[in-house]
Amino acid sequence: MYLCARKTLNKKEMRKKIVFVTGANKGIGFGIAKHLGLSGWQVIIGARDEQRASKAIEELKSRGIEVLGWVNIELKDLANIEKAVLEINEKYPDLSLLVNNAGISGDMSVDSEHTEINVIRETLDVNFIGTFALTKALIPLIAKNSGRIANITVPSEISPYWHPLAYVTSKAAQNAMMGVMAVEFQQGNTPVEIFSVHPGPTTTDLNGNMALPGFHDIDTVGQKFAELINDGQTHQGEFIELYPIVKED
């Protein structure tokens, strides 16, 4: 979805390079934090567990990446999100990029007929409600810094090859959120850019470390994502596929 002609940012439009990545202690989130950090971004780690966050921070710092700290974020807990946002506003007032990466898979082992209602609810609570609550609460800070919001997601169009109901439904809602917000930011002249990024098939814990032909590793995806963020162009309202799923004949 293209809402405006793409343009190159001039120097006055360059944003301070501080990023908050949710779910950054492992998987795609870690790859994103790593490669944004290697390209000059100051990184804030979003994680649920202090020990895992500390391990990720140690590894990132060993590579020369500037990690500003970590924020405890539990997307299924609205009170926790409120506390996290207060901490971010207090400690990191120059935040200019939010990467909504954290999420849960739901039960990917069953078809829609056998998917339990509680699994749908839990997955929506984390992947959509929690992500919306965090995004909504951080918009004023990101707007102050003329920043961006990037959502890690999957296409709303249903693939015949992979379509777990709870996960795909939650991401379709997230995609709708992005599209609506992008239109409203444009219409209201709000200095926030929001877009969605589909990494393509990637080997992570979320899919049981599946490694089939056409799958990429987190370093490959993280580097490609960093290149996108640093390309100097606007992407308002776009759905960007880093590595599109190749359809079978």
Side-chain angles (χ1 to χ4, degrees):
M1 182 172 106
Y2 290 83
L3 297 177
C4 61
R6 205 178 277 184
K7 68 175 182 178
T8 300
L9 301 175
N10 59 42
K11 290 183 179 180
K12 290 183 179 180
E13 293 173 305
M14 293 296 288
R15 304 157 175 105
K16 290 191 177 181
K17 299 177 71 171
I18 299 177
V19 58
F20 177 48
V21 184
T22 65
N25 60 290
K26 64 177 183 177
I28 290 174
F30 180 81
I32 287 171
K34 174 182 174 181
H35 286 279
L36 284 176
L38 290 172
S39 69
W41 285 80
Q42 296 173 303
V43 177
I44 307 161
I45 299 295
R48 295 185 294 176
D49 180 89
E50 184 174 6
Q51 185 175 359
R52 292 176 182 175
S54 296
K55 182 179 178 182
I57 290 171
E58 182 179 350
E59 183 172 345
L60 292 172
K61 285 186 173 181
S62 73
R63 298 173 180 270
I65 294 167
E66 187 173 359
V67 182
L68 299 181
W70 84 285
V71 174
N72 179 272
I73 189 76
E74 175 55 80
L75 291 175
K76 67 181 180 181
D77 184 343
L78 295 180
N80 169 274
I81 292 171
E82 183 177 352
K83 182 179 178 181
V85 169
L86 288 173
E87 181 179 351
I88 291 167
N89 274 275
E90 179 181 343
K91 292 183 178 179
Y92 313 110
D94 293 323
L95 177 72
S96 59
L97 174 60
L98 166 64
V99 180
N100 285 316
N101 164 76
I104 61 175
S105 64
D107 188 348
M108 294 189 172
S109 68
V110 297
D111 60 17
S112 57
E113 180 184 355
H114 297 96
T115 300
E116 299 292 340
I117 295 296
N118 67 301
V119 172
I120 297 285
R121 182 177 290 114
E122 181 183 22
T123 310
L124 283 169
D125 278 347
V126 173
N127 296 358
F128 175 60
I129 301 296
T131 297
F132 170 71
L134 177 64
T135 301
K136 178 178 183 292
L138 284 176
I139 285 173
L141 178 60
I142 293 172
K144 179 177 74 72
N145 296 318
S146 299
R148 291 175 285 177
I149 302 164
N151 298 328
I152 305 303
T153 185
V154 298
S156 296
E157 179 184 356
I158 305 303
S159 165
Y161 313 114
W162 184 82
H163 43 258
L165 180 64
Y167 186 77
V168 172
T169 299
S170 68
K171 290 299 185 175
Q174 196 180 103
N175 294 342
M177 177 192 82
M178 182 281 293
V180 171
M181 285 185 173
V183 170
E184 291 174 345
F185 291 158
Q186 271 204 308
Q187 291 175 339
N189 294 316
T190 304
V192 176
E193 181 183 329
I194 186 169
F195 52 93
S196 295
V197 179
H198 176 218
T202 309
T203 301
T204 68
D205 289 350
L206 186 126
N207 55 33
N209 292 305
M210 188 181 295
L212 298 175
F215 274 60
H216 297 87
D217 59 34
I218 61 171
D219 269 313
T220 302
V221 168
Q223 182 175 2
K224 187 94 167 186
F225 182 89
E227 290 170 0
L228 169 69
I229 293 299
N230 296 321
D231 69 5
Q233 297 186 352
T234 62
H235 296 286
Q236 184 74 283
E238 293 183 20
F239 184 96
I240 300 161
E241 296 200 71
L242 298 183
Y243 292 101
I245 297 173
V246 178
K247 296 182 179 180
E248 298 177 2
D249 294 330

